[in-house]
Amino acid sequence: MSKRCVALLSGGLDSMLAIRLMQEQGIEVEALNFKTLFTCCQDQSAQAAHDLGVRLTVVSQDDDYLELLRKPEYGYGKGANPCVDCRIYMFDKAKRFMEQIDAGFIISGEVVGQRPMSQKRTDLEVIAHHSHLDDLLLRPLSARVLHPTLPEREGWVDREKLYGFVGRSRKELIALGKKLGLRSLPTPSTGCALTEPLFSQKVFDLIQIQPQARRWDYEVLRQGRHFRFDAETKVMVGRNEAENDALKYAHQLPDAASTAYLYPANFLGPFALVAGRASEKAVAFAAGLLLKYGKFEGPGEPLVEVVQRDQPSRQVVAAVSDAVETARTLGSEPTSRRSQQPI
Ligand code: SF4
C-alpha cells in the first residue's frame, strides 16, 4: 500500500485542494513546482507549501522545453501557450521524481472542463497517457467522473472521499477550501506569460523569424521594449532602471546573444542591447531609439556610446530616422508585418 504521492503544486487553489484531500486520507505528499522561463508563481507555491505543511521541490525546465514550444504536437491555446504538451512535459518529469523518491502515484488539481486548452476530458487522458503515467495520475477534484485510477482501485485512496467537479465554476471549490480549513484561498494560478496575447507575439516572432533562437533570447523577452530590425537582429531598450540593469546583466551572461550594448554619452536615456548582427545600420537604429526614449537638451549633438564585443568602445551621433520614428515594440502590432520596419 502506497501512502506517499507527488503533487504538482502551482500555488493556486486547485492544487492546494488536491493536496489537502490526500492529507485528509493520511497520505504523505511531496510537492513539485515547475519553474518555467515564462512563469512567475514560485513565491505563491512556496507559501502554499508552507500553509499545507508539505515539502516543496522546485524544478527548472531544461532547454528541451524550447523544442516543445516551437512545435507543440497539440498546438497552442489563445496565446503561445502549448498547454497540453507542457503538461505532458511536466508530468513526465514528475514521474521521474516519483520514481526517485519511491512515491506511489501523482496527483494534480486539474478539473475536467475547467480550462479550454488542457483540461477537456480527452486532454486529461492524452496527458496521462503521453507522460507514461496512465492510471498513476489521480485528479482528486474530478476523480469521480473519471475512470478509477490504480491508487483508487488498490484502495490506497478512498474514491468515495474524492470529488466529481466539472466546469469552470469556482464557487464549489472555494466552499471546499473553506470546509477543508485552508487559511488562504488563492485565485487560480496562472502566472504564465505564454497565455498573454502581447507577450505571445514576442514569442511567435522568435519562433517564426529566428527558429534558432536559444534560451537566452527567450529569457530576455520579459525585459524592455523589443524591436525587430531584420531577420537576424533585434534591439531591446530598457523602460526603467530595473530593466536597464536586467539588460546589462543579460549581456554579461556567457550565453548572451547580444553583440553590442549602447548607452547615452551626453543625455539621459535608457540602455539598449543589439542581439544578432550589430551592423552599422542596426547600431544607428538602436542609437536612434535611445534618443527617442531619452531626453537630449543639448548643447551639441546627442552622442551614444557603443560597446561591441571584442572592439574598443566608440561614440555615434544619434538620430531619429523614419525607421526609428515609426518603430513599434513587438507585442503592440500584429506579427504579420515582418520587414526591416520593426513590427
Ligand atoms: S499555462 Fe503555461 S505553464 Fe501552464 S500548462 Fe499552459 S503553457 Fe504550461
Side-chain angles (χ1 to χ4, degrees), residues 133-146:
L133 279 166
D134 290 309
D135 65 358
L136 287 179
L137 177 50
L138 171 66
R139 280 93 173 199
L141 298 177
S142 286
R144 299 280 289 276
V145 296
L146 297 169

Side-chain angles (χ1 to χ4, degrees), residues 36 39 65 80-84 86-87 90 115 118 192 194-195:
T36 80
T39 53
Y65 188 82
N81 49 313
C83 288
V84 173
C86 179
R87 300 295 286 175
M90 289 183 191
R115 294 190 184 176
S118 62
C192 175
L194 294 175
T195 61

Side-chain angles (χ1 to χ4, degrees), residues 227-248:
F227 301 87
R228 174 146 302 285
F229 179 72
D230 61 23
E232 295 171 66
T233 315
K234 277 177 69 180
V235 176
M236 300 147 206
V237 181
R239 287 173 292 196
N240 51 46
E241 205 175 332
E243 288 191 344
N244 285 343
D245 289 345
L247 289 174
K248 275 183 209 170

Side-chain angles (χ1 to χ4, degrees), residues 97-273:
F97 181 71
M98 174 190 83
E99 289 161 354
Q100 276 168 14
I101 65 164
D102 203 25
F105 58 100
I106 292 183
I107 64 162
S108 83
E110 290 160 308
V111 171
V112 173
Q114 189 183 70
R115 294 190 184 176
M117 173 64 186
S118 62
Q119 294 187 11
K120 296 192 294 294
R121 192 181 294 263
T122 47
D123 294 332
L124 297 187
E125 288 168 2
V126 163
I127 290 166
H129 181 65
H130 287 283
S131 59
H132 311 292
L133 279 166
D134 290 309
D135 65 358
L136 287 179
L137 177 50
L138 171 66
R139 280 93 173 199
L141 298 177
S142 286
R144 299 280 289 276
V145 296
L146 297 169
H147 294 300
T149 56
L150 187 75
E152 295 161 273
R153 295 199 308 275
E154 291 291 319
W156 305 340
V157 173
D158 183 351
R159 182 175 169 87
E160 296 303 310
K161 292 181 180 163
L162 304 179
Y163 287 80
F165 293 120
V166 174
R168 309 186 71 154
S169 168
R170 310 291 306 160
K171 215 168 128 192
E172 289 165 316
L173 295 172
I174 290 169
L176 178 60
K178 288 181 181 161
K179 184 178 157 198
L180 293 173
L182 291 185
R183 278 187 296 167
S184 64
L185 299 171
T187 51
S189 180
T190 55
C192 175
L194 294 175
T195 61
E196 296 167 15
L198 295 183
F199 185 82
S200 296
Q201 288 185 30
K202 293 199 236 179
V203 175
F204 284 134
D205 167 80
L206 272 186
I207 291 172
Q208 292 162 1
I209 302 180
Q210 276 182 263
Q212 77 287 3
R214 292 173 292 126
R215 189 182 184 97
W216 183 92
D217 298 281
Y218 286 92
E219 276 175 337
V220 87
L221 286 183
R222 279 183 176 278
Q223 308 297 341
R225 296 179 171 94
H226 285 230
F227 301 87
R228 174 146 302 285
F229 179 72
D230 61 23
E232 295 171 66
T233 315
K234 277 177 69 180
V235 176
M236 300 147 206
V237 181
R239 287 173 292 196
N240 51 46
E241 205 175 332
E243 288 191 344
N244 285 343
D245 289 345
L247 289 174
K248 275 183 209 170
Y249 175 74
H251 181 70
Q252 289 157 10
L253 293 173
D255 63 341
S258 51
T259 47
Y261 70 89
L262 294 84
Y263 57 90
N266 61 352
F267 62 98
L268 284 178
F271 181 98
L273 292 186

